[in-house]
Amino acid sequence: DTEVTQTPKHLVMGMTNKKSLKCEQHMGHRAMYWYKQKAKKPPELMFVYSYEKLSINESVPSRFSPECPNSSLLNLHLHALQPEDSALYLCASSRTGGAGYGYTFGSGTRLTVV
Amino acid sequence: DAKTTQPPSMDCAEGRAANLPCNHSTISGNEYVYWYRQIHSQGPQYIIHGLKNNETNEMASLIITEDRKSSTLILPHATLRDTAVYYCIVRVGGGGADGLTFGKGTHLIIQP
């Protein structure tokens, strides 16, 4: 299995809702990442998990809460989002050696906040 | 990681070679050049990488100048499916789990 699977593919949520994005990989990668991508912009790194521990938080607002329950699964819990948080959320994984060619990205969750 | 500069957009005729330039004049000796692409509404996809020598794989060729301050990604026979944003990224090869940093990239449009 050489894929990163993200669910759901599309999500519409209200500003008072709580929702979660899910990311799964079975490549044995011990580093996992969340990126946010606005329209016509490059992906921006949000969080990095290494060996199931949060190692990098790029000053992301607390309404985004990541979780790594095990080495194959990464979640992003969403609460009290704003319309400007609407974006494509991408998950990626890699070996912790971090060679730049080794990143595998999912197809993303397109989030709309209304 | 060294900064990269790419043209914002390029056109190429289907069946011709697409040559995408990247400038990385501040690259360090231990930094590699990586290329990823992102087809509309999909996640980025690894294409190729190199340190000093030219590299070729089934997708593309990478030509790095002798002074390593610039490089060119070559798609030898472009098809409509190659329309995408192409990102040139420079970073240390074994940089650890710190994520890839994407610049603005080049939007390559393959014309029929």
Side-chain angles (χ1 to χ4, degrees):
Chain A
D1 187 351
T2 59
E3 291 186 347
V4 171
T5 302
Q6 290 189 243
T7 54
K9 294 195 181 304
H10 301 275
L11 178 64
V12 179
M13 63 183 290
M15 289 188 284
T16 58
N17 292 160
K18 287 186 180 181
K19 297 286 184 183
S20 296
L21 309 185
K22 179 180 172 182
C23 172
E24 198 164 4
Q25 57 88 15
H26 298 286
M27 294 176 281
H29 291 170
R30 301 304 296 273
M32 297 186 76
Y33 313 83
W34 281 115
Y35 283 81
K36 174 181 178 179
Q37 186 173 26
K38 301 283 281 184
K40 299 188 185 302
K41 298 290 187 181
E44 294 180 352
L45 185 65
M46 299 174 71
F47 302 104
V48 179
Y49 272 82
S50 180
Y51 292 99
E52 296 88 69
K53 294 192 187 314
L54 182 65
S55 59
I56 296 177
N57 176 341
E58 293 286 0
S59 302
V60 179
S62 60
R63 58 185 183 268
F64 296 90
S65 176
E67 178 196 21
C68 191
N70 59 57
S71 60
S72 299
L73 191 57
L74 185 67
N75 297 320
L76 185 63
H77 302 298
L78 313 173
H79 173 55
L81 294 194
Q82 302 297 311
E84 58 264 31
D85 295 321
S86 298
L88 180 68
Y89 288 84
L90 293 162
C91 174
S93 70
S94 76
R95 293 182 296 179
T96 51
Y101 61 85
Y103 286 71
T104 303
F105 286 81
S107 295
T109 294
R110 188 161 299 281
L111 174 69
T112 303
V113 181
V114 298
Chain B
D1 298 337
K3 181 178 170 58
T4 62
T5 303
Q6 299 177 252
S9 66
M10 293 181 63
D11 286 349
C12 179
E14 189 177 17
R16 304 297 293 269
N19 297 279
L20 291 89
C22 180
N23 183 287
H24 33 78
S25 58
T26 61
I27 192 170
S28 301
N30 63 345
E31 289 183 312
Y32 287 69
V33 180
Y34 300 91
W35 284 84
Y36 278 72
R37 74 179 182 184
Q38 187 174 22
I39 295 170
H40 182 59
S41 294
Q42 296 183 22
Q45 174 193 26
Y46 165 77
I47 301 172
I48 198 168
H49 76 284
L51 180 64
K52 295 181 187 178
N53 300 322
N54 299 336
E55 303 288 345
T56 295
N57 63 21
E58 64 279 4
M59 289 182 68
S61 295
L62 174 60
I63 308 297
I64 302 174
T65 58
E66 193 168 342
D67 64 7
R68 304 210 319 127
K69 293 185 177 182
S70 66
S71 60
T72 301
L73 177 74
I74 301 172
L75 308 178
H77 304 288
T79 71
L80 297 178
R81 288 176 294 182
D82 293 320
T83 292
V85 178
Y86 287 77
Y87 297 101
C88 170
I89 299 170
V90 170
R91 56 170 275 154
V92 174
D98 55 358
L100 293 173
T101 300
F102 292 86
K104 296 180 180 179
T106 295
H107 186 195
L108 176 66
I109 300 171
I110 306 301
Q111 304 282 2

